[in-house]
């Protein structure tokens, strides 16, 4: 079965950086668009970023454009989210996801991991 395991979350101060990783198994990774979602306390889950199978195409939600970078290493079956210039409003549980590229842009995912907490103190 598909398994997605996130790591790299933690507590940082505003303005600092953090890199999340997601190790995937049980799917043809190089053919699978991968994405990141997040859910803040009391809010619905929201789309953050998506990358296509070969890493050429990416898409971000407006609030993270210019600050976050999604990338992947198909040799390691791993997708990353580099988060720079973090803000308090980025505080959330971040989830790795797999599914269709367009579907994830709409906020939908076929598979999702357990999540990793990111807390940004102001």
């Amino acid at each position: 079965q598909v398994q997605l395991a996130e790591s790299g979350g933690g507590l940082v101060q505003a303005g600092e950086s953090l890199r999340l990783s997601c190790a995937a198994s049980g799917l043809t990774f190089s053919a699978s668009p991968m994405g990141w979602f997040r859910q803040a306390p009391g809010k619905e889950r929201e789309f953050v970023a998506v990358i296509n199978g070969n890493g050429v195409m990416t898409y971000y939600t407006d609030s993270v454009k210019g600050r976050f970078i999604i990338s992947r290493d198909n040799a390691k079956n791993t997708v990353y989210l580099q988060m720079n210039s973090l803000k308090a409003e980025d505080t959330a549980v971040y989830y790795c996801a797999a599914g269709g590229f367009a579907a994830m842009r709409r906020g939908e995912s076929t598979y999702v991991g357990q999540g990793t907490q990111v807390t940004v103190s102001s």
Side-chain angles (χ1 to χ4, degrees), residues 25-122:
S25 61
L27 72 169
T28 305
F29 186 76
S30 61
S32 300
M34 300 295 296
W36 290 92
F37 290 77
R38 66 186 180 186
Q39 186 167 18
K43 295 187 177 181
E44 293 186 354
R45 190 184 76 168
E46 66 168 346
F47 163 79
V48 176
V50 62
I51 187 168
N52 74 333
N54 62 14
V56 172
M57 292 175 55
T58 59
Y59 186 80
Y60 301 87
T61 192
D62 285 346
S63 62
V64 309
K65 284 180 181 177
R67 299 189 299 122
F68 289 13
I69 301 171
I70 187 171
S71 63
R72 64 191 297 156
D73 185 339
N74 286 349
K76 297 182 178 179
N77 282 15
T78 301
V79 62
Y80 305 96
L81 186 67
Q82 177 67 42
M83 304 185 294
N84 302 318
S85 301
L86 282 161
K87 305 176 181 179
E89 50 264 43
D90 294 318
T91 295
V93 177
Y94 283 72
Y95 298 91
C96 177
F101 189 92
M104 281 192 277
R105 286 181 57 177
R106 295 193 301 266
E108 304 163 2
S109 62
T110 302
Y111 304 102
V112 66
Q114 293 297 309
T116 185
Q117 176 70 47
V118 172
T119 303
V120 184
S121 63
S122 57

